[in-house]
Amino acid sequence: MSATLLFSILNVLGIFVFGLSGAMVAIRRNFDVFGILVLAIATGVAGGIIRDVLLGAVPPEALRTFWPMAIAAVAGLCAFFFTSLIERFKRPVMLLDAIGLGVFAVAGCRKALVLGVDPPGAILLGVMTAIGGGVLRDIMAAEVPRVLHEDVYALAAFAGATTYASCLWLGIAETPAASGAVLLAVGLRLASVRFGWTLPRPPSS
């Protein structure tokens, strides 16, 4: 599989799973179908819009073409009609969020590198791409953003983006570098929830 095709698939996957996570949060907050679609679309495309604006790639891809918002809307409709099926998975929002986090961290980092940003800046943009949609989703749903209270969240995105940039620097081919970095980020996020991993907190907390 070529790197271009891989990242096209990853981008679609990231938008879809983040759209699903936004829609599931909306459903749990008892939003109507319009609110579900709004939260699905906002969650699916916000990270990419932030990345593109900071890169100067304006108008952002999500506003230049129809398909990013369409994919997120389809995800919202899937959540609306198949809520009970999705709820069979243990903690579906967390699982979808982890997948979207890993995918967007690497895709965002890659786009920044392609546009000539140095690796440290590209890694930062990868993290912002990964967490942007989730932050907006939580704010719109009147929740504290997960990035502020779930320790291995932005850190997992950082690990994925850093791994991808490092692999390219070491001369590893783009496809295995991207695949491994996404799996690392997703696995780290899921493992942190499963085993209760946290970062140090102040002694008084």
Side-chain angles (χ1 to χ4, degrees), residues 5-116:
L5 177 59
L6 173 64
F7 277 97
S8 295
I9 294 172
L10 288 179
N11 204 32
V12 171
L13 176 63
I15 292 170
F16 188 81
V17 296
F18 263 141
L20 274 178
S21 77
M24 292 304 296
V25 169
I27 290 168
R28 290 179 176 181
R29 302 289 286 185
N30 202 31
F31 287 16
D32 62 18
V33 64
F34 180 76
I36 291 168
L37 289 174
V38 168
L39 206 58
I41 293 170
T43 308
V45 304
I49 289 175
I50 293 169
R51 174 201 63 208
D52 289 350
V53 169
L54 292 176
L55 286 171
V58 292
E61 182 180 359
L63 302 181
R64 279 188 288 108
T65 61
F66 173 74
W67 67 266
M69 284 191 275
I71 292 169
V74 169
L77 291 174
C78 287
F80 181 80
F81 287 110
F82 303 108
T83 304
S84 59
L85 180 62
I86 296 171
E87 287 287 3
R88 291 181 185 177
F89 294 94
K90 186 177 182 181
R91 303 185 68 175
V93 173
M94 186 277 297
L95 176 60
L96 294 167
D97 215 34
I99 296 170
L101 190 79
V103 167
F104 272 4
V106 174
C109 180
R110 193 248 186 180
K111 185 165 186 176
L113 290 171
V114 168
L115 292 179

Side-chain angles (χ1 to χ4, degrees), residues 165-181:
S166 299
C167 286
L168 295 185
W169 182 75
L170 292 171
I172 297 174
E174 194 167 22
T175 298
S179 302

